[in-house]
Amino acid sequence: MKSFLLTLILGISIVVNAQNKVIGTIFNKQKKSISGANISIPELHKETISDENGKYSFTNLPNGNFKMVFSSLGFETQTKIFLSNQKEIKMDIVLDETVHQMDEVIISTAFNKVQSQNVMKVEHQTMKSLSQKGTSTLIEGLATIPGVSQVSTGTSIGKPVIRGLSGNRVLVYSQGVRLENQQFGEEHGLGLNDAGMESVEVIKGPASLLYGSDAIGGVLYFNPEKFAATNTIEGNFSQKLFSNTNGSNSSIGVKTSSENLKFLTRGSYNTHADYKVPEGNRVTNSRYSETDIKTALGYSNSKFTSTLRYNFNQLDLGIPENGIAIQTSTKSTTYPKQSVFATILSLNNTIFFKKSKIDADLGYISNNRSEFEDSDVANLRMKLKTYNYNIKYYLPKLGKFESILGTQGMHQTNENSGKIYLIPNATTNDFGVFGSVNYEWNKKVFQAGARYDNRTVTSIAYGILGEEGYFEAIDKKFQSFNLSLGYKTNLKKNLIFRLNVASGFRAPNLAELSSNGIHEGSNRYEIGNVNLKNEQNFQMDLNLEYRNSHFELFINGFYNHINNYIFIAPNGIIISGFNAYDYTQANAILYGGETGIHFHPHPLDWLHITSSFESVTGKKQRGDNLPLIPANKWNNSIKTEFKSTKYLKDTFAILNIAYILNQNNPGQFETKSNDYALVNFGFGGKITFGKTTFEFNLNANNLLNKTYISHLSRLKPDGISNIGRNIILGINCSI
């Protein structure tokens, strides 16, 4: 494999050069030019803005077929596929006016189609739109997307839940590589900061075909911040203040691009005191701080594009083990606590041939996690190192057929250096090969794929047999073959139907196979099971969408059958003062879906009314309810957009009412949860002073200071409420 990768990189030097150019003008239907329109070629990381006459240009383009995306505020986004094989191509575009933009290029799926052409329904949200909701953390913002929830520990730790599946069943991609951060622990947060991210794409359902093991429940694919437009330099500063936690979130970044070379860097610091419940008390040691640094260097010419990205993230997390105790507004954590140092280094390359291309993504992830019980000597200290690769070859297009062949792999080591071990030192190796084909005709699309994966997990014996911290040697192999079929059609002009069936798998993780010790963050003694088998699932997804210029409706339904579902349950034994839990398996099913509307009546185009309902049911084959299943949720919003003035532009106001229903189907070791309603309000826009523009947001979340406990809160057994009223002020300005 190493020799293959070396050959791949060296192959760049032998690709035939091309010097192609695209020029054009952007018009509206009245044939008036549109200035300030955004034009991008996502595959080439190229982006520009139309000038005062609506003109744009791209130079130094390689040969091949590429997508060009045209967007402007108040106009419908258009995507055009063009063949770059001439010295100069002229492409004039007419944009249709619309109330809002609907179509986005989806990066996380196989063929990078715009959503309207995509076989699989993917939720796309920009970080800007999530920021307008005034959420405190990235995962809290993601939990506002229909079908997505979070397992939370206070305000500092949140883990994504997609349609009732979480942990290692939800795969996270950042910077084009899979994120590995000891995600087996329910108190291990996402470990990503939204600063320096452009958008997120959510795949709900098995995505093992593209991503292999651990994508059985879905994928969160974070698209990094774009480089500056060609021959420009940009800088910006943002600041958020949070009333409930006395919190502060600061970020500053700068980026610049020439015709070939691109660079950006961003630094962020986030700090919060203990959060306050509606009764007025603070939850002791729920405080945390975060430092995040992102930087990227890109180079592109007519032969290839290459982007090197680096992300450093440091977290200091208090664990609110003692509930409501000492009352203080300090932001310095005390014991017990976690300390996490994480690094992501990625190299994303695209090599262009005459009618085909190769995408090669290489990644290195380091996650150093320490847990401190009562002193600065770590009880648990785990270091996870992961090297991974993802290589896809896009074959020459044959008529209406598009095809991909690919391989993915991972080499991972876990090392312990703390006082006690929860999992042993071990090595995990993944290897997978896959192929996918896409056939499109008359607004109908058929897509199929197949994949084979192999995972090996090895470790050596450690400790004394029969005592805490003993681990027997492991030498396990897991393999799986999976298929995927999808069909999309336009039943009528504005009515889209999608049907997907797919199998997926998840190999047991190291903690499930081998745990034998006290997990301080979970307050339990965990015992692994070396005889666990693959989780293997089959899921059917249905999507129906209707949209016109003033009304949208969507209905998503799914049925998910999982063989050998892995879960943890108490065995009734007390070890070292902690309840002991065993990992075990049973067949399970999950079913449910999401439905919603978006209404913006004519002539009141400034008014947007949205409503969505989401539901999921999870049961073991013998009838017991699965744990960590979110309650049904009904979410409603009214958004108004105000007419721009000389100094105030893009102004909006949002009133949101989220009603979370009773959860009367708790897991075997959970309790029922009561219903509650939360009222949230937001106001924002842009203020211009001279040549400087400030974007601002003022949000009041849990406006009525409602006392409630989320069913997925890890503080629920202690009767600790979720966060009370929180006023957030956010400002973003160009510098």
Side-chain angles (χ1 to χ4, degrees):
M1 182 53 64
K2 289 182 178 179
S3 61
F4 174 77
L5 294 177
L6 181 59
T7 303
L8 178 66
I9 302 301
L10 292 177
I12 295 173
S13 61
I14 63 173
V15 183
V16 176
N17 195 3
Q19 295 290 336
N20 302 321
K21 181 178 182 179
V22 175
I23 62 173
T25 306
I26 314 297
F27 298 99
N28 62 17
K29 279 199 167 183
Q30 290 72 41
K31 295 299 181 180
K32 293 182 179 180
S33 61
I34 301 173
S35 63
N38 183 277
I39 307 99
S40 66
I41 309 176
E43 297 163 278
L44 304 179
H45 305 287
K46 286 182 176 291
E47 187 168 332
T48 190
I49 296 174
S50 60
D51 63 19
E52 63 273 12
N53 298 313
K55 297 185 180 299
Y56 73 93
S57 67
F58 290 105
T59 59
N60 204 24
L61 301 180
N63 289 327
N65 287 291
F66 300 102
K67 299 182 184 73
M68 190 177 296
V69 183
F70 305 85
S71 62
S72 183
L73 187 64
F75 294 88
E76 184 174 345
T77 299
Q78 279 197 40
T79 299
K80 297 290 185 182
I81 297 177
F82 71 98
L83 176 62
S84 175
N85 63 354
Q86 304 175 31
K87 293 299 181 182
E88 184 172 293
I89 303 169
K90 188 172 183 182
M91 191 185 305
D92 293 338
I93 297 295
V94 177
L95 296 181
D96 294 330
E97 293 187 12
T98 185
V99 176
H100 66 286
Q101 297 177 14
M102 312 180 187
D103 240 354
E104 298 283 352
V105 176
I106 302 300
I107 305 300
S108 57
T109 52
F111 296 93
N112 302 151
K113 303 286 187 180
V114 293
Q115 184 58 66
S116 61
Q117 298 175 305
N118 215 18
V119 166
M120 185 179 295
K121 171 64 176 177
V122 178
E123 300 286 349
H124 180 279
Q125 290 279 344
T126 64
M127 290 299 119
K128 183 176 180 179
S129 66
L130 293 180
S131 177
Q132 288 182 353
K133 300 174 183 179
T135 51
S136 301
T137 63
L138 175 59
I139 185 59
E140 187 181 341
L142 295 176
T144 64
I145 299 172
V148 182
S149 307
Q150 67 162 331
V151 176
S152 63
T153 306
T155 54
S156 59
I157 300 173
K159 294 186 70 66
V161 181
I162 298 179
R163 290 178 170 173
L165 296 178
S166 58
N168 279 80
R169 299 180 182 95
V170 175
L171 190 60
V172 178
Y173 258 63
S174 180
Q175 300 179 188
V177 297
R178 61 181 288 166
L179 181 67
E180 292 291 319
N181 63 350
Q182 305 280 12
Q183 59 264 38
F184 66 84
E186 62 186 21
E187 84 296 350
H188 296 174
L190 197 60
L192 290 175
N193 189 289
D194 60 353
M197 291 182 179
E198 193 76 24
S199 61
V200 61
E201 296 169 12
V202 183
I203 300 176
K204 293 179 271 190
S208 293
L209 177 68
L210 279 182
Y211 297 105
S213 179
D214 301 350
I216 192 172
V219 174
L220 294 176
Y221 195 99
F222 291 97
N223 294 308
E225 180 178 2
K226 296 179 181 178
F227 290 107
T230 303
N231 297 321
T232 64
I233 181 169
E234 302 174 18
N236 82 296
F237 171 78
S238 65
Q239 176 68 57
K240 287 184 180 180
L241 300 174
F242 305 84
S243 67
N244 186 286
T245 59
N246 297 330
S248 172
N249 187 338
S250 305
S251 176
I252 187 169
V254 64
K255 52 187 177 180
T256 184
S257 294
S258 65
E259 188 63 45
N260 300 109
L261 198 61
K262 309 171 191 298
F263 173 78
L264 67 81
T265 187
R266 180 170 298 280
S268 306
Y269 182 69
N270 194 12
T271 180
H272 293 263
D274 296 341
Y275 80 86
K276 190 184 298 182
V277 298
E279 294 84 357
N281 292 317
R282 294 189 181 274
V283 179
T284 305
N285 206 32
S286 59
R287 65 204 72 154
Y288 67 99
S289 64
E290 177 183 28
T291 301
D292 188 82
I293 298 172
K294 293 183 175 76
T295 190
L297 180 66
Y299 180 82
S300 63
N301 60 21
S302 57
K303 301 177 183 179
F304 71 97
T305 69
S306 185
T307 304
L308 179 68
R309 292 185 183 268
Y310 172 80
N311 181 200
F312 170 79
N313 186 273
Q314 178 184 353
L315 286 165
D316 182 23
L317 302 167
I319 298 176
E321 189 177 78
N322 300 317
I324 296 175
I326 299 174
Q327 296 293 291
T328 176
S329 58
T330 182
K331 298 177 183 178
S332 299
T333 57
T334 186
Y335 305 110
K337 66 178 182 178
Q338 293 183 37
S339 178
V340 185
F341 293 84
T343 296
I344 305 173
L345 183 65
S346 64
L347 180 62
N348 313 113
N349 302 283
T350 302
I351 306 170
F352 301 101
F353 301 97
K354 187 175 182 179
K355 295 183 179 180
S356 62
K357 68 175 182 178
I358 290 178
D359 281 349
D361 298 328
L362 313 176
Y364 167 75
I365 300 95
S366 174
N367 185 273
N368 298 337
R369 183 179 299 274
S370 300
E371 296 183 2
F372 304 87
E373 183 180 5
D374 53 17
S375 70
D376 59 359
V377 178
N379 284 35
L380 286 176
R381 191 184 295 273
M382 301 178 289
K383 185 172 185 179
L384 193 70
K385 293 182 179 179
T386 306
Y387 300 86
N388 54 42
Y389 61 89
N390 182 1
I391 301 170
K392 298 189 289 288
Y393 176 56
Y394 292 76
L395 281 72
K397 192 173 181 180
L398 297 175
K400 296 179 180 180
F401 282 94
E402 296 176 83
S403 304
I404 296 176
L405 296 176
T407 179
Q408 291 172 334
M410 177 180 78
H411 173 74
Q412 184 177 90
T413 59
N414 183 76
E415 298 178 1
N416 291 274
S417 58
K419 292 167 56 178
I420 60 175
Y421 287 15
L422 173 64
I423 55 178
N425 296 339
T427 300
T428 302
N429 287 296
D430 281 0
F431 173 75
V433 291
F434 64 93
S436 184
V437 61
N438 190 85
Y439 180 73
E440 184 172 352
W441 76 104
N442 297 329
K443 294 190 176 181
K444 297 179 176 64
V445 184
F446 175 77
Q447 197 173 107
R451 180 180 179 116
Y452 169 79
D453 283 273
N454 179 283
R455 169 174 286 188
T456 60
V457 182
T458 58
S459 70
I460 59 175
Y462 176 84
I464 301 173
L465 181 64
E467 294 187 3
E468 177 185 346
Y470 170 74
F471 303 96
E472 63 177 295
I474 298 176
D475 187 4
K476 300 287 291 185
K477 179 181 290 187
F478 305 93
Q479 54 188 349
S480 183
F481 179 79
N482 291 283
L483 297 171
S484 176
L485 295 172
Y487 175 71
K488 172 261 173 185
T489 185
N490 284 40
L491 298 177
K492 291 187 176 181
K493 179 180 179 182
N494 298 321
L495 185 62
I496 296 176
F497 172 81
R498 295 182 177 92
L499 178 65
N500 285 270
V501 293
S503 63
F505 87 105
R506 183 180 76 88
N509 62 49
L510 187 58
E512 294 164 339
L513 291 169
S514 63
S515 291
N516 187 25
I518 299 169
H519 197 170
E520 299 291 347
S522 298
N523 292 314
R524 63 193 182 203
Y525 192 104
E526 298 184 0
I527 302 172
N529 182 352
V530 74
N531 296 314
L532 293 175
K533 301 177 181 178
N534 274 347
E535 289 183 343
Q536 189 75 42
N537 86 321
F538 173 82
Q539 179 163 322
M540 179 179 293
D541 285 271
L542 181 147
N543 167 248
L544 193 65
E545 290 182 7
Y546 173 81
R547 57 178 53 179
N548 60 33
S549 58
H550 295 284
F551 181 77
E552 296 177 58
L553 167 70
F554 71 88
I555 300 173
N556 304 323
F558 75 95
Y559 178 86
N560 189 4
H561 180 92
I562 305 177
N563 289 325
N564 301 316
Y565 179 90
I566 300 171
F567 61 97
I568 191 168
N571 58 23
I573 301 173
I574 304 296
I575 302 178
S576 301
F578 290 81
N579 291 322
Y581 284 67
D582 291 328
Y583 283 99
T584 186
Q585 290 184 298
N587 293 342
I589 59 169
L590 298 99
Y591 56 89
E594 309 88 35
T595 184
I597 63 168
H598 180 183
F599 180 49
H600 33 92
H602 182 74
L604 307 179
D605 293 340
W606 47 267
L607 178 64
H608 298 262
I609 301 171
T610 60
S611 180
S612 66
F613 181 80
E614 55 192 276
S615 174
V616 58
T617 299
K619 292 184 177 294
K620 301 172 191 173
Q621 194 172 51
R622 60 174 179 260
D624 296 335
N625 296 313
L626 291 178
L628 299 178
I629 299 297
N632 295 343
K633 182 179 180 181
W634 185 25
N635 199 27
N636 303 278
S637 295
I638 298 176
K639 180 179 180 180
T640 61
E641 297 171 338
F642 303 102
K643 187 176 181 180
S644 297
T645 65
K646 182 178 180 180
Y647 299 102
L648 198 58
K649 298 181 180 179
D650 301 337
T651 313
F652 66 89
I654 302 176
L655 177 64
N656 170 259
I657 301 175
Y659 177 53
I660 291 79
L661 282 68
N662 293 316
Q663 177 51 286
N664 292 323
N665 300 301
Q668 186 176 358
F669 306 102
E670 297 175 335
T671 58
K672 295 182 179 180
S673 299
N674 295 325
D675 64 334
Y676 56 91
L678 299 177
V679 178
N680 308 303
F681 177 77
F683 175 76
K686 296 179 180 178
I687 301 176
T688 301
F689 294 104
K691 295 183 179 181
T692 304
T693 299
F694 295 86
E695 295 185 50
F696 71 93
N697 281 59
L698 181 63
N699 296 82
N701 290 341
N702 193 3
L703 179 64
L704 303 182
N705 209 28
K706 174 70 175 180
T707 298
Y708 72 99
I709 302 178
S710 167
H711 185 70
L712 299 186
S713 169
R714 294 186 61 251
L715 304 182
K716 182 175 182 282
D718 299 320
I720 299 174
S721 301
N722 286 71
I723 189 171
R725 182 187 298 114
N726 194 13
I727 310 297
I728 304 104
L729 174 63
I731 298 175
N732 187 314
C733 69
S734 299
I735 54 176

